[in-house]
């Protein structure tokens, strides 16, 4: 019995991979349906989009949207019926009602569940001649994409086949975990090896208070000086739009709190103490001691250690934050006569690293797939 050959296999179920799947799914109403499978290495979809587990819709991954400067994100949110609200302490930016993970939920709800597989890390991607009838064999003279298919091997040993493969995962990790046969071009391989996964080295810590915001907005957004047991380098007001609870979220290098390496509660405490120390010496702005003490007495906390996510970060103990990625044309280029395509935010040529880039890379790849 011959193996089914899908039209497209998507490797990676973050925002970009999900949107490629959504575009293919929506083709069914206007043209012959395309068969596809999405393979996600982790146990859940969404990549770097994740909310707190307490149901407060606090972003623990990507958070901000700038609608006036990010038309692709603006159009996506409109198509999904998702609204944004102004960042309380910085009206130039917005956050998503329901948290960024709301995008994942709504896109996922529209897709066929049997087309999506989680816990399915890919370890090999091989281009092979397509079996043909009679003496019509693949030779150097008739080498083209129509004569080849791509075999995907999962970590469990299972193999799947497709006419096209879209890799929608961080390029650095793709280079690390997936073996390509034949090898990728030198230009592509070099670009992947040099790439960095934006914000993957950050541990986000959210302190939650069971009441509406009680601090002045003038003191709830800023930079911090990190150091021993002072893990945070930035903080902001993360309160949900309904303001039923209030929250402050920190960007941290968790390794700076050596005693809190495996202790989320202690890490949260270190962040609260660091903020209190910062506010107590807040230049010319007077911050009452009672307010500082109240900020230290959070009711709950949520910690997301992104560096410990094998399929998100290449460094489990980062000592610094990589600079924001710049567009790299080699990351966006297809390989194997256009059969192997690359999505993911780092592969976007306009806004790499942010959600806008994930949307843009998915659109670019979809336009390429329509030509096949």
């Amino acid at each position: 019995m011959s193996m089914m050959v899908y039209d497209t296999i998507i490797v990676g179920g973050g925002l970009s991979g999900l949107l490629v799947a959504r575009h293919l799914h929506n083709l069914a109403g206007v043209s012959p349906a395309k068969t596809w499978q999405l393979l996600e290495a982790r146990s859940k979809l969404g990549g770097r989009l994740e909310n707190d587990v307490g149901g407060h819709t606090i972003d623990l991954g990507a958070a901000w949207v700038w609608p006036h400067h990010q038309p692709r994100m603006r159009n996506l949110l409109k198509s999904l019926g998702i609204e944004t609200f102004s960042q309380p302490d910085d009206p130039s930016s917005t956050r998503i009602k329901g948290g960024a993970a709301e995008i994942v939920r709504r896109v996922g709800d529209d897709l066929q569940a049997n087309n999506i597989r989680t816990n399915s890390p890919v370890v090999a991607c091989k281009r092979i001649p397509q079996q043909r009838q009679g003496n019509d064999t693949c030779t150097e003279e008739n080498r083209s994409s129509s004569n080849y298919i791509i075999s995907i091997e999962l970590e469990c040993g299972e193999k799947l086949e497709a006419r096209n493969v879209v890799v929608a995962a961080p390029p650095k990790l793709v280079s690390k975990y997936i073996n390509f046969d034949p090898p990728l071009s030198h230009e592509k391989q070099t670009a992947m090896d040099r790439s960095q996964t934006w914000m993957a080295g950050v541990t986000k810590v959210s302190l939650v208070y069971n009441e509406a915001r009680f601090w002045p907005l003038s003191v709830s957004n800023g930079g911090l000086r990190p150091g021993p047991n002072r893990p945070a380098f930035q903080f902001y007001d993360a309160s949900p739009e309904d303001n039923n609870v209030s929250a402050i979220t920190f960007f941290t290098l968790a390794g700076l709190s050596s005693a809190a390496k495996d202790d989320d509660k202690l890490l949260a405490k270190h962040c609260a103490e660091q903020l209190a120390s910062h506010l107590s010496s807040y230049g010319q702005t007077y911050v009452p001691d009672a307010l500082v003490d109240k900020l230290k007495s959070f009711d709950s906390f949520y910690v997301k250690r992104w560096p410990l996510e094998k399929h998100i970060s290449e460094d489990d103990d980062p000592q610094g934050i990589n600079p924001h990625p710049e567009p790299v044309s080699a990351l966006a280029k297809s390989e194997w006569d256009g059969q192997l395509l690359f999505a993911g935010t780092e592969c976007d040529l306009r806004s790499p690293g942010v959600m806008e880039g994930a949307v843009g890379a998915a659109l670019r790849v979809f336009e390429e797939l329509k030509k096949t």
Side-chain angles (χ1 to χ4, degrees):
M1 183 177 179
S2 61
M3 181 183 298
M4 176 178 179
V5 179
Y6 295 97
D7 289 309
T8 303
I9 287 177
I10 304 162
V11 179
L15 178 58
S16 205
L18 284 171
L19 291 179
V20 173
R22 181 178 187 244
H23 291 312
L24 293 174
H25 172 77
N26 290 342
L27 268 182
V30 295
S31 64
K34 298 288 187 179
T35 58
W36 58 270
Q37 283 279 293
L38 185 149
L39 307 174
E40 166 56 41
R42 301 168 71 223
S43 61
K44 56 187 174 182
L45 302 172
R48 285 164 273 177
L49 307 189
E50 188 169 318
N51 287 358
D52 70 281
V53 296
H56 300 303
T57 67
I58 296 170
D59 294 299
L60 294 180
W64 289 295
V65 179
W66 291 267
H68 296 298
H69 307 292
Q70 297 182 333
R72 298 175 296 193
M73 269 299 293
R74 182 179 68 237
N75 292 338
L76 171 65
L77 294 174
K78 182 178 180 180
S79 72
L80 293 170
I82 297 176
E83 298 179 352
T84 61
F85 65 99
S86 294
Q87 170 66 28
D89 45 22
D90 180 11
S92 67
S93 58
T94 67
R95 299 210 316 270
I96 296 168
K97 288 186 179 181
E102 181 67 9
I103 302 174
V104 179
R105 186 186 71 79
R106 296 207 188 186
V107 172
D109 284 350
D110 288 341
L111 302 176
Q112 306 100 317
N114 61 346
N115 283 13
I116 298 174
R117 298 173 59 172
T118 55
N119 297 307
S120 300
V122 172
V123 297
C125 185
K126 184 176 183 179
R127 194 184 193 206
I128 58 177
Q130 185 168 348
Q131 292 183 354
R132 307 179 71 84
Q133 299 296 320
N135 294 322
D136 186 11
T137 58
C138 179
T139 66
E140 290 297 325
E141 287 73 23
N142 67 6
R143 182 183 294 271
S144 71
S145 60
S146 63
N147 295 318
Y148 286 84
I149 58 174
I150 298 177
S151 174
I152 290 288
E153 183 177 349
L154 305 183
E155 190 176 66
C156 65
E158 182 183 354
K159 294 184 178 181
L160 298 87
E161 294 180 347
R163 296 177 182 86
N164 300 286
V165 168
V166 176
V167 179
K172 187 87 166 186
L173 299 180
V174 171
S175 176
K176 181 177 181 179
Y177 292 119
I178 301 179
N179 178 63
F180 291 93
D181 181 13
L184 302 178
S185 67
H186 175 74
E187 182 186 25
K188 170 72 77 172
Q189 189 64 59
T190 300
M192 292 171 67
D193 291 341
R194 290 177 177 174
S195 68
Q196 302 292 342
T197 308
W198 177 237
M199 299 302 284
V202 170
T203 293
K204 290 190 82 171
V205 178
S206 291
L207 308 182
V208 181
Y209 307 86
N210 295 335
E211 59 182 292
R213 183 185 302 106
F214 56 86
W215 53 80
L217 294 178
S218 60
V219 302
S220 62
N221 190 328
L224 296 170
R225 187 183 298 276
N229 294 331
R230 299 169 61 86
F233 59 89
Q234 185 178 346
F235 68 101
Y236 67 93
D237 188 319
S239 304
E241 190 265 343
D242 60 21
N243 211 25
N244 287 331
V245 298
S246 53
I248 292 180
T249 289
F250 299 81
F251 293 93
T252 79
L253 289 169
L256 295 177
S257 291
S258 55
K261 182 176 181 180
D262 301 308
D263 188 335
D264 288 350
K265 185 175 183 179
L266 183 57
L267 180 62
K269 180 182 178 184
H270 284 170
C271 288
E273 292 173 346
Q274 184 180 359
L275 177 61
S277 175
H278 170 74
L279 294 179
S280 295
S281 56
Y282 203 69
Q284 301 302 312
T285 303
Y286 172 67
V287 181
D289 290 342
L291 174 60
V292 173
D293 291 340
K294 191 172 183 178
L295 285 168
K296 291 167 63 177
S297 302
F298 50 90
D299 294 300
S300 57
F301 64 91
Y302 300 97
V303 174
K304 182 61 185 181
R305 297 178 184 260
W306 289 108
L308 301 185
E309 292 281 350
K310 173 183 176 181
H311 297 287
I312 297 291
S313 176
E314 66 273 8
D315 185 354
D316 62 4
D317 188 22
Q319 299 303 303
I321 300 301
N322 295 317
H324 195 283
E326 296 291 331
V328 178
S329 59
L331 292 178
K333 290 181 179 178
S334 62
E335 297 271 319
W336 299 351
D337 299 314
Q339 286 186 276
L340 181 61
L341 305 102
F342 295 83
T345 182
E346 284 79 16
C347 298
D348 186 52
L349 295 178
R350 288 171 54 186
S351 302
V354 296
M355 288 187 280
E356 174 79 355
V359 180
L363 286 168
R364 170 181 52 77
V365 163
F366 177 61
E367 289 301 318
E368 293 181 52
L369 286 173
K370 286 199 299 184
K371 299 174 185 176
T372 62

